[in-house]
Amino acid sequence: MIDAVVKIDAASVDRLIDASEADPEALIGILQDVQKEWGFLPIPALKRVSERLGVPYNRVWAVATFYEAFTFQPHGRTHIMVCTGTTCHVNDGLQVLKAIEDELIIECGQSTPDGKFSLEKVHCLGACGVGPMVVVNDQYHGHMTRAKVIKLLDELKSRTEVET
Amino acid sequence: MADRIEITINEWRVKADNREPLINVCRREGIDVPTLCHHDRIKPYGVCRVCMVKVSWGRKSKYVTACNYPVENDDVIDTESRDVMSLRKMSIEALLGRCPNEQEIVKFAASHGVTSSRFPPHKPGGDDCILCGLCVGVCNEVVGAKALGFMERGPEREVVTPFMEFPESCIACGACSALCPTTKMTMEHQKTEILKSRHGDIRPCRYALMGLYPGGICANNYRCHACDVDQKYREIAGDEHPIFIARTEITDGGEAA
Amino acid sequence: MKLTSPTQLDQVARDFRASLEGYKTTISLCGGTNCTACGCNEVLEVLKTELEARNLTYTVRLIVTGCQGLCSEAPLISINPDDVLYCNVEPGWIKRIVSDTVIEGKTIPDYCFTDPVNGTTYEKFSEIPFFSDQTRVLLANSPHIDPSDIRDYISVGGYRALAKALFEMEPGEIVDEISASGLRGRGGGGFPTGRKWASGAKAPGDHKWVICNADEGNPGAYMDGSLLESNPHLIIEGMIIGAKAVGAGAPGGGYIYVRNEYPLALSRISEAINEARRWGLLGNDILGSGLSFDIRINRGGGAFVCGESTALMASLEGKPGEPRPKYVHTVEKGYHNEPSVLNNVETWANVPGIILDGAQKYREHGTDASPGTKIFSLVGKVRHTGLVEIPMDRSVRSLVEGIGGGAPEGKKLKAVQTGGPSGGCLPVSQLDLQLDFDVLNEAGSMMGAGGIIVMDEDTCMVDIALHFIRFNTDESCGKCTPCREGLQEMERVLTHITEGKAEMDDLGHLEELGQWMIGGCLCALGATAPHPVLSTIKYFRDEYETHIKGHKCPGGVCRELIEYSVIEANCTGCGDCVTVCPTGAVSGLPDKVHKIDMLLCTKCDECYKACKFEAIGK
């Protein structure tokens, strides 16, 4: 769990806290907003949230590490989620995951060294009728197979080339 | 005064307060129900599952943890039937498997007839923590320092200081390590070392950190058990203070941990 | 505008219907998560452009609905009043659909649903057996209404049950009606909703809460998300009625706990709540009845265990989602230690219908003990996947083989999994079981949320058990010993079995672990987690034995136990396997028998899937 280097100014954290009326019960929602802002949960921001909400450090840390949604490392510019729900599993979703791992030469839960791609698996995205499912930066792709996902990755790679 | 009720434990009729924790009734009646995560001063956490017993109402029954089950009139409780014992033993076996090299756990298991475990440890040499939560409970509820908590979940769950950093709010009271049934809790030790590394008037007495002795400076190199101040504040703060609770009940009064 | 009396609802409905009179045709594009994953947004853009180009926007109403149900044929477009459903719609089809069907009123058979078994093409939506075999009550409006427009819901009778509950019924009468209907909680356990409400109403306290559990994390079940996407006001209406029944009006209130992994459902329900507030259906003095009630949304942080009521409430309070013992029920002491009535999405969705039409009418469907209809998500190795709503007296077979059309590609059915990670696998011999709460429990499975995952001969039951145990291990909060340690131990033993490293004694160990977890776990997640293992051992013991003793995986799934080879007699040398092999392990000259080099083979199964002649053995 390495804290990525990023500048946190208290005012931006405060803005997010104030948007939820500094309600201690809104802790999870505020952390989701913090993560949206920086792409991950920076420790200084967590401390600020804790102090402003009057929620002790140990509870903020417990919440931040308990829920799957939170990460302490930024995602890659292209974030790929592979569904490993039961339907996707029986339809060979693991092979799709493996194909992506092989193609990007990373393991699930990691980012490529250049920061372009990151990969994680998720439990069921509610699109079981069209599994295996892959989500790329919030875009859903159904009926994936090894061949299709490799084609998709090629497209994504050429797109990120153009962008950079 | 709470309503008095009658319940049956192992075929004995006993009186109890309505919704009193079952463990209190058992202890009062001299019925042995083992626990690993229970302490009278801490809200029952109910996680080790070693104090499992069976409650029946007519033909219906279920397994409950004695530490936090509130008794009701006419509950029929069984603390030693074969099924109860096998649930209890399996929990002990699992914890022994997790921490095969923790002497307290090994002894506890042996005293319940569990000498080997089919559960292999999750890391080489075994874990040093059974996740009973006593340290977290005492630190949060009794001491109020909130210097310990859980992180992660499932297999990754562990007890840590917040953000895994050195906890500024720790008052080095030692309650966590005193209650810890394993060798996990050494934080208070570390904190004391840090205090020792300071010089002159920035070496605060631990009772100063606990708010009992404002401005106090340590003159005894943190050998608290051999210090007059320790003796004095035990009298002033009373045995109710967290550090004394921890010492009197769990250790024999030496410097905790 | 804020509605201040129930009669204004009828006015809204009349005005809305009048505003639609100019439209000759309504095109409903399914915008559910499944269709989104199959490119419905591209279809929508093309459709919009085409309608504008042809100047049809004043005569054709285009709406994006929630899930219409037949997800295997996504994306879907339905066109009314022609009663047409087009399947697997591609952007390139739009020009023809607009010119032929919308303008000329001609159905295009090529785009309609065709049964893959007998080749019948269905030109009418309502005649497709997948739909005509269902009894759609909760899902009745989903394919037809615009979830983002509250008036559309009001125009099909929405919020009338609320008006009845607010002005014609006492709280006790509402509870009695729900009790009389026999409605049982749709989240998993099937607890009688009426009994829960009665306890909630009776529990002392000025602050009471009604909570909707939309943390649908059950893999394979997506009806709750789909209901929120397609008909969010149905749930809101149910909750307001519940609030009146149990006394959860202000200063209490309502919460909807939505999974963060459902972005579409989250935005639809948020939008719907805002609309309901604007129209005076949430907030102070609802419809002039004096009841004040509002609903807040809470986004989950991604934890399956938060579907458990005590964990959900801990999460609402901003804490880690750890369950606590339920020796005191949440309906007495839940959120903030105050009385809290928690039901899941589908349960709330049942409420308006029961109140409006009465408990007797509700009981016309289903069985005595499990009345009403239930939405199932029919997924896995089955021809037609999607959402199916049927009464609970139907059999598993009629659902899987009838509506679902059985396993695809001529494969044999092997098992049906119900109840998700808490449920079990039923073998083909149990397919005639009735799909009700108690029958499924007795068979060692459970209803759960209603996910029906179909498995064919290519599925390995040990692998499935391991899959669920891994899921539960990931999702366990780790608080109590049996769940945390038991799941890790089960995962270890099952992994050994799939690798051929286990012994027969391990089966007994697994069963013992299972009994320990059922009896010893703190919450329902842990206590039901062994079901997938125990039920597969019960019904598919031979498959476990083949793994352990024969070091073979009959389903051809466990990679440590399979070796690929070419069955020479069947191989035509077509080269399909060579093309798909990612490592070059398969080789051979055209029209000659091919061979596989096991040193290069990564067991990805691509050659097996690609071979049309059953010439790859494993």
Side-chain angles (χ1 to χ4, degrees):
Chain A
M1 232 172 269
I2 304 146
D3 196 358
V5 184
V6 61
K7 216 173 124 42
I8 306 296
D9 60 307
S12 335
V13 185
D14 285 353
R15 188 168 41 77
L16 301 174
I17 297 168
D18 293 331
S20 295
E21 294 162 3
D23 177 6
E25 290 203 351
L27 175 62
I28 298 167
I30 292 170
L31 295 187
Q32 277 163 341
D33 294 336
V34 168
Q35 180 153 308
K36 207 177 240 170
E37 180 87 17
W38 284 280
F40 68 105
L41 293 182
I43 303 290
L46 290 181
K47 291 186 176 167
R48 181 76 190 171
V49 170
S50 162
E51 284 149 18
R52 282 285 319 276
L53 298 185
V55 174
Y57 276 7
N58 60 355
R59 170 114 72 82
V60 172
W61 185 238
V63 167
T65 55
F66 185 88
Y67 294 99
E68 201 96 311
F70 300 127
T71 169
F72 298 90
Q73 281 191 325
H75 288 155
R77 274 192 296 283
T78 304
H79 182 58
I80 304 174
M81 295 193 284
V82 181
C83 181
T84 55
T86 315
T87 320
C88 293
H89 180 85
V90 300
N91 283 321
D92 256 348
L94 284 182
Q95 288 300 334
V96 173
L97 179 65
K98 177 124 199 325
I100 303 177
E101 285 180 337
D102 292 350
E103 201 67 11
L104 296 177
I105 327 178
I106 52 173
E107 275 178 32
C108 192
Q110 294 180 334
S111 305
T112 50
D114 57 10
K116 281 183 188 158
F117 291 94
S118 54
L119 174 65
E120 76 175 337
K121 58 177 182 152
V122 283
H123 295 313
C124 200
L125 293 158
C128 316
V130 297
M133 274 283 302
V134 171
V135 179
V136 180
N137 289 349
D138 299 333
Q139 273 245 318
Y140 285 61
H141 299 270
H143 295 303
M144 291 314 278
T145 59
R146 198 184 168 91
K148 276 195 204 169
V149 85
I150 289 171
K151 197 169 145 239
L152 178 68
L153 283 175
D154 286 343
E155 280 168 27
L156 291 169
K157 278 180 188 164
S158 56
R159 210 182 300 161
T160 49
E161 287 304 319
V162 176
E163 279 168 17
T164 46
Chain B
M1 192 184 137
D3 298 343
R4 293 294 281 177
I5 55 164
E6 269 198 15
I7 62 173
T8 308
I9 306 182
N10 302 342
E11 298 182 0
W12 284 86
R13 287 298 278 179
V14 300
K15 285 201 161 45
D17 287 341
N18 193 21
R19 305 190 77 76
E20 181 182 5
L22 173 57
I23 193 89
N24 295 1
V25 189
C26 290
R27 299 243 155 113
R28 197 166 55 231
E29 299 294 331
I31 296 159
D32 181 41
V33 176
T35 59
L36 274 174
C37 71
H38 183 69
H39 190 279
D40 288 341
R41 313 288 309 192
I42 303 170
K43 218 167 98 196
Y45 199 42
V47 299
C48 72
R49 317 307 276 177
V50 169
C51 68
M52 212 91 208
V53 300
K54 185 160 74 177
V55 188
S56 332
W57 314 266
R59 288 169 62 193
K60 269 187 160 170
S61 69
K62 71 174 176 192
Y63 301 103
V64 299
T65 38
C67 64
N68 55 8
Y69 176 74
V71 291
E72 288 185 42
N73 202 23
D74 287 337
D75 279 352
V76 176
I77 288 155
D78 192 330
T79 71
E80 51 196 12
S81 64
R82 185 182 286 195
D83 48 342
V84 167
M85 291 313 259
S86 77
L87 285 182
R88 187 176 294 163
K89 274 191 171 175
M90 196 73 152
S91 296
I92 295 172
E93 186 184 337
L95 292 174
L96 178 66
R98 181 184 172 92
C99 303
N101 294 318
E102 286 293 337
Q103 285 320 304
E104 287 300 316
I105 302 301
V106 173
K107 260 193 270 171
F108 179 87
S111 71
H112 290 88
V114 181
T115 50
S116 67
S117 177
R118 286 166 289 179
F119 297 71
H122 308 305
K123 46 185 174 191
D127 212 300
D128 56 3
C129 177
I130 59 164
L131 295 168
C132 67
L134 284 173
C135 55
V136 177
V138 77
C139 188
N140 283 276
E141 294 171 30
V142 184
V143 182
K146 301 187 166 60
L148 287 171
F150 289 104
M151 75 175 271
E152 297 280 351
R153 67 185 193 210
E156 271 85 46
R157 184 178 174 88
E158 59 178 319
V159 173
V160 292
T161 54
F163 308 114
M164 298 167 85
E165 292 172 353
F166 192 82
E168 288 309 317
S169 63
C170 171
I171 59 166
C173 70
C176 55
S177 52
L179 292 196
C180 180
T182 64
T183 55
K184 166 87 177 170
M185 276 304 135
T186 54
M187 180 49 74
E188 159 274 344
H189 228 27
Q190 288 177 28
K191 180 92 179 191
T192 314
E193 289 306 313
I194 289 192
L195 295 178
K196 276 184 187 171
S197 74
R198 296 180 181 174
H199 297 285
D201 59 358
I202 53 165
R203 289 182 69 155
C205 168
R206 300 205 326 188
Y207 296 96
L209 291 171
M210 287 173 226
L212 291 172
Y213 180 25
I217 300 297
C218 178
N220 201 29
N221 203 26
Y222 294 101
R223 292 168 64 239
C224 304
H225 62 287
C227 179
D228 296 344
V229 176
D230 183 280
Q231 208 42 52
K232 181 175 155 205
Y233 281 101
R234 179 184 289 254
E235 281 156 25
I236 294 174
D239 287 349
E240 294 291 296
H241 197 271
I243 192 166
F244 301 124
I245 291 166
R247 285 197 191 167
T248 48
E249 293 189 11
I250 306 292
T251 69
D252 53 12
E255 188 182 4
Chain C
M1 91 173 224
K2 266 203 163 46
L3 305 178
T4 50
S5 80
T7 47
Q8 286 173 331
L9 284 170
D10 296 324
Q11 189 57 44
V12 171
R14 273 197 299 276
D15 291 350
F16 184 69
R17 277 194 293 268
S19 75
L20 298 183
E21 270 165 15
Y23 294 118
K24 289 201 192 86
T25 309
T26 301
I27 303 181
S28 311
L29 176 101
C30 177
T33 302
N34 284 271
C35 281
T36 310
C38 294
C40 75
N41 286 332
E42 288 85 48
V43 174
L44 176 65
E45 287 313 310
V46 177
L47 189 52
K48 271 187 189 160
T49 320
E50 182 69 14
L51 290 177
E52 269 162 32
R54 293 199 169 226
N55 214 5
L56 289 170
T57 47
Y58 295 103
T59 51
V60 178
R61 180 176 183 232
L62 172 63
I63 58 172
V64 179
T65 68
C67 183
Q68 301 190 1
L70 187 51
C71 303
S72 48
E73 311 297 325
L76 303 171
I77 282 184
S78 54
I79 300 173
N80 281 306
D82 310 48
D83 189 27
V84 173
L85 180 73
Y86 289 142
C87 300
N88 301 309
V89 179
E90 290 171 18
W93 294 5
I94 294 302
K95 267 194 166 26
R96 197 171 156 206
I97 292 176
V98 171
S99 63
D100 287 14
T101 311
V102 176
I103 297 176
E104 292 179 31
K106 282 190 304 199
T107 305
I108 310 161
D110 291 355
Y111 298 170
C112 289
F113 176 75
T114 301
D115 193 310
V117 185
N118 53 23
T120 315
T121 297
Y122 295 89
E123 296 195 4
K124 296 279 179 219
F125 187 152
S126 52
E127 286 168 9
I128 300 171
F130 181 86
F131 292 104
S132 61
D133 273 7
Q134 298 188 34
T135 308
R136 287 192 155 212
V137 179
L138 303 179
L139 293 177
N141 291 317
S142 292
H144 310 300
I145 63 168
D146 179 356
S148 64
D149 194 335
I150 193 172
R151 296 171 306 165
D152 211 346
Y153 179 65
I154 294 174
S155 76
V156 294
Y159 289 110
R160 299 308 195 289
L162 174 66
K164 183 176 174 187
L166 289 181
F167 294 96
E168 296 167 32
M169 296 172 87
E170 291 299 315
E173 289 175 303
I174 302 174
V175 175
D176 290 346
E177 197 69 37
I178 297 294
S179 299
S181 73
L183 173 65
R184 295 173 71 171
R186 300 296 198 244
F191 189 82
T193 308
R195 218 154 86 203
K196 192 185 267 186
W197 286 26
S199 314
K202 213 175 68 190
D206 299 331
H207 288 70
K208 294 188 186 178
W209 306 93
V210 288
I211 303 169
C212 172
N213 181 354
D215 190 45
E216 180 180 56
N218 232 323
Y222 58 101
M223 64 287 292
D224 289 353
S226 292
L227 275 171
L228 290 174
E229 286 169 11
S230 64
N231 202 353
H233 288 285
L234 187 64
I235 289 99
I236 297 174
E237 185 178 3
M239 287 180 73
I240 310 172
I241 295 171
K244 163 146 186 182
V246 304
Y255 274 99
I256 300 184
Y257 188 90
V258 192
R259 251 187 120 196
N260 206 36
E261 288 90 333
Y262 279 180
L264 185 59
L266 195 57
S267 74
R268 288 266 167 81
I269 188 72
S270 313
E271 211 179 304
I273 286 177
N274 287 335
E275 277 245 292
R277 284 186 194 137
R278 262 201 307 279
W279 287 81
L281 290 157
L282 281 175
N284 287 329
D285 194 17
I286 295 170
L287 287 179
S289 66
L291 175 74
S292 297
F293 173 73
D294 204 354
I295 298 175
R296 293 174 67 177
I297 290 187
N298 211 301
R299 286 174 292 166
F304 176 65
V305 66
C306 286
E308 203 277 344
S309 60
T310 57
L312 186 148
M313 287 173 202
S315 185
L316 279 183
E317 292 169 10
K319 298 174 185 161
E322 288 170 12
R324 59 154 180 81
K326 283 209 233 177
Y327 304 139
V328 179
H329 291 290
T330 50
V331 32
E332 285 163 40
K333 284 187 177 180
Y335 177 58
H336 283 249
N337 269 332
E338 288 157 357
S340 309
V341 173
L342 174 78
N343 289 121
N344 93 325
V345 172
E346 195 183 336
T347 317
W348 287 118
N350 271 289
V351 170
I354 295 171
I355 295 302
L356 194 63
D357 300 327
Q360 280 322 309
K361 175 111 171 84
Y362 185 77
R363 281 186 169 279
E364 283 173 13
H365 298 300
T367 66
D368 260 1
S370 299
T373 55
K374 170 87 193 81
I375 307 174
F376 294 95
S377 62
L378 183 59
V379 293
K381 303 279 188 78
V382 60
R383 279 205 181 86
H384 316 311
T385 62
L387 290 185
V388 177
E389 184 177 353
I390 48 174
M392 282 185 276
D393 53 5
R394 298 277 295 266
S395 69
V396 185
R397 189 184 301 281
S398 78
L399 176 60
V400 173
E401 292 187 342
I403 295 174
E409 294 158 24
K411 298 274 184 188
K412 275 207 290 282
L413 273 185
K414 186 186 216 169
V416 173
Q417 209 278 342
T418 73
S422 313
C425 292
L426 301 171
V428 175
S429 61
Q430 303 276 319
L431 283 191
D432 290 313
L433 289 181
Q434 199 164 281
L435 277 163
D436 78 34
F437 288 101
D438 311 310
V439 172
L440 290 177
N441 276 344
E442 270 165 43
S445 186
M446 69 186 277
M447 175 72 86
I452 301 282
I453 300 159
V454 183
M455 297 165 188
D456 68 6
E457 55 190 294
D458 288 341
T459 316
C460 167
M461 300 320 287
V462 184
D463 175 69
I464 288 297
L466 177 58
H467 162 77
F468 280 117
I469 291 304
R470 285 207 172 119
F471 175 88
N472 283 319
T473 313
D474 276 359
E475 296 296 344
S476 158
C477 79
K479 186 172 166 177
C480 77
T481 308
C483 180
R484 183 186 65 237
E485 305 298 330
L487 282 169
Q488 288 182 86
E489 179 65 359
M490 279 190 160
E491 183 177 339
R492 186 186 69 87
V493 175
L494 287 167
T495 307
H496 274 183
I497 298 178
T498 60
E499 290 170 347
K501 294 180 190 157
E503 287 163 20
M504 283 307 287
D505 287 352
D506 285 329
L507 286 185
H509 184 37
L510 282 176
E511 284 170 320
E512 209 183 318
L513 286 168
Q515 292 313 322
W516 170 51
M517 289 170 68
I518 290 171
C521 280
L522 193 158
C523 81
L525 183 143
T528 56
H531 284 170
V533 176
L534 297 179
S535 70
T536 46
I537 294 182
K538 178 174 171 191
Y539 293 119
F540 299 94
R541 198 180 179 93
D542 53 336
E543 217 172 303
Y544 278 86
E545 289 180 2
T546 313
H547 279 79
I548 297 170
K549 290 195 224 156
H551 301 283
K552 287 247 158 24
C553 175
V557 173
C558 300
R559 285 149 55 106
E560 303 290 322
L561 303 180
I562 47 176
E563 292 266 299
Y564 288 86
S565 61
V566 176
I567 300 166
E568 296 190 1
N570 292 355
C571 181
T572 63
C574 70
D576 283 358
C577 49
V578 181
T579 321
V580 295
C581 179
T583 59
V586 195
S587 58
L589 296 169
D591 303 328
K592 295 273 185 322
V593 171
H594 289 8
K595 62 175 192 292
I596 302 175
D597 181 352
M598 282 316 289
L599 287 174
L600 291 174
C601 177
T602 59
K603 300 179 180 175
C604 70
D605 210 42
E606 289 295 308
C607 55
Y608 179 83
K609 277 186 254 169
C611 182
K612 294 191 276 289
F613 307 98
E614 297 187 6
I616 306 279
K618 60 177 179 180

